[in-house]
């Protein structure tokens, strides 16, 4: 029973990690750099939702889309004003500048909302119970929304011309350019997609736990572990990787103190890089 | 009027020039082959046409229009497609998706073009739902050429299409090049298998040290003793 209960928590956390990992994996595949600001983009999304959901007391189904759109817009603005100028430079320059963006986003959150933890809603939520297992209504919301979002991402990547172009560019950027694919447009849509999912993941993380200026930053390591586990550059691998990392992190609390959860993600990351650096699903062949 | 004309093109990837005055042309419906030793700048000359090089001098005209300095996506829309030597498919995309990406700039119905590609490369029809990365080398080359043909270009640039393929596939690829050309598409091709390539070529250029040294019909170059000794390995 205990294992099943942890499995539920693991799937909830794994879904949140997966949403973040899809964005990290796609930006790596398409732009060729590890985006260290992705976690703080999640925090930004969570705090935007706080304005509408908690301060203005609007329902979640309105606050969530606003936060998602705001985070997507933020990601695009950051790209247009900063990353775009470094596109032709070495990837390490983009990586370091994304680190700077991460610090700026975190500082902005702290300026507006302070350094303390905040909750969306105070009071106790009574969990649903079935067969001795517990799941909170918020977690049901998170699970349902995550499944719907992953489904939407799947349909976008498989059925639309832009989605296919995005996968093509993650596969082989040079050939995408030779095929006449408008790469700047693909980059724009990659940020819209990655930013949207990061925003949603941030809100879900806030719902599942609490809001804190470093909430997203702390999730960045598991997100990278998930992206690498799934073969970086592969959005589907990132989803699977996210679930694996989430479930392993939660079930590890059977044997280890919960404080070691990030260490588990880190251990998986290191082992993967040593044993199968291309990821579980045989990532890009050029590495 | 030539379909493609390069006039005294110089340039390279960075500071140093690789091309030192390359002049060559492709007439409508011609198969033109560039041969020469390694490092002669054959592939580089082709990349220059496609806007992948920093040019320092010279002009490139296509179909009566000056395309010097154009970006690849604009050149593609104008009707030139390029098949690189390596990494020329999208490995995780299916065969069909690879072909769709080749027609990315088209907004009209691409099914007739896809049917033509499948007619030219029957094995691809069966494997249309398979990821291109799982195919054999020869089939992958078919996907690469099929992707380029989806745009129904006026000129096809092929960078060593037979490199690394077994002799059976090499014959097949040359046969396909002939068929593609028979549909009226001009072809500019860099080839290591110089003798075989010159045999199907209307004209050929021998390049060395970043410039074209000899020009002639395929048969003339094959018969030329000097060319044979220097570049075709006797």
């Amino acid at each position: 029973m205990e294992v099943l209960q942890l499995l539920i928590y693991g799937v909830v956390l794994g879904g949140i990690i997966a949403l973040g990992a899809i964005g990290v994996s796609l930006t790596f595949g398409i732009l060729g750099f590890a985006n260290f600001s992705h976690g703080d983009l999640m925090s930004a999304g969570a705090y935007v939702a706080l304005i509408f959901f908690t301060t203005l007391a609007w329902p979640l189904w309105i606050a969530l889309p606003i936060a998602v759109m705001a985070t997507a817009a933020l990601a695009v603005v950051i790209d247009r004003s900063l990353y775009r100028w470094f596109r032709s430079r070495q990837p390490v320059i983009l990586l370091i500048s994304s680190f700077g963006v991460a610090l700026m986003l975190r500082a902005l959150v702290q300026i507006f909302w302070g350094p303390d933890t905040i909750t969306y809603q105070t009071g106790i939520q009574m969990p649903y119970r079935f067969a001795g297992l517990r799941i909170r209504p918020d977690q049901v919301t998170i699970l349902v929304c995550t499944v719907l979002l992953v489904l939407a991402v799947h349909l976008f990547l498989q059925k639309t011309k832009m989605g296919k172009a995005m996968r093509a560019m993650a596969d082989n950027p040079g050939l995408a350019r030779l095929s006449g694919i408008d790469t700047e447009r693909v980059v724009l849509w990659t940020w819209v997609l990655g930013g949207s999912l990061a925003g949603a993941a941030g809100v879900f993380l806030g719902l599942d736990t609490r809001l804190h200026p470093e909430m997203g930053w702390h999730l960045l390591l598991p997100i990278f572990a998930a992206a690498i586990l799934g073969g970086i550059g592969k959005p589907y691998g990132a989803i699977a990787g996210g679930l694996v990392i989430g479930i392993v992190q939660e079930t590890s609390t059977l044997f280890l103190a919960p404080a070691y959860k990030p260490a588990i993600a880190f251990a998986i990351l290191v082992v993967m890089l040593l044993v199968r650096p291309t990821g579980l699903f045989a990532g890009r062949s050029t590495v | 009027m030539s379909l493609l004309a390069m006039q005294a093109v110089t340039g390279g990837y960075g500071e140093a020039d690789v091309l030192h005055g390359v002049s060559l042309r492709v007439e409508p419906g011609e198969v033109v082959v560039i041969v020469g030793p390694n490092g002669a700048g054959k592939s580089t000359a082709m990349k220059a046409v496609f806007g992948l090089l920093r040019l320092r001098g010279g002009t490139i005209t296509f179909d009566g229009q000056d395309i010097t300095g154009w970006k690849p996506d604009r050149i593609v829309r104008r009707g030139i497609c390029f098949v690189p030597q390596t990494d020329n498919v999208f490995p995780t995309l299916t065969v069909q998706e690879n072909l769709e990406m080749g027609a990315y700039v088209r907004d009209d119905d691409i099914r007739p073009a896809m049917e033509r590609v499948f007619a030219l490369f029957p094995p691809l029809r069966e494997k249309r739902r398979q990821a291109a990365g799982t195919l054999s080398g020869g089939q992958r080359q078919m996907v690469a050429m099929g992707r380029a043909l989806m745009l129904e270009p006026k000129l096809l640039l092929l960078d060593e299409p037979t490199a690394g393929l077994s002799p059976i596939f090499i014959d097949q690829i040359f046969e396909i090049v002939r068929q593609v050309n028979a549909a009226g598409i001009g072809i500019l091709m860099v080839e290591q298998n110089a003798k075989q390539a010159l045999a199907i070529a209307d004209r050929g250029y021998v390049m060395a040290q970043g410039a074209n040294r000899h020009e002639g019909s395929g048969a003339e170059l094959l018969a030329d003793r000097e060319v044979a000794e220097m570049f075709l390995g006797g």
Side-chain angles (χ1 to χ4, degrees), chain A residues 208-255:
Chain A
D208 192 33
T209 56
R210 287 174 302 275
L211 285 87
H212 185 267
E214 294 193 344
M215 60 193 281
W217 174 248
H218 285 151
L219 210 63
L220 194 64
L221 180 64
I223 284 174
F224 269 105
I228 289 167
L229 190 65
I232 196 137
K234 293 177 163 297
Y236 292 101
I239 296 166
L243 285 175
V244 170
I245 297 285
I247 289 167
V248 171
Q249 279 204 6
E250 289 297 334
T251 46
S252 74
T253 56
L254 282 175
F255 323 100

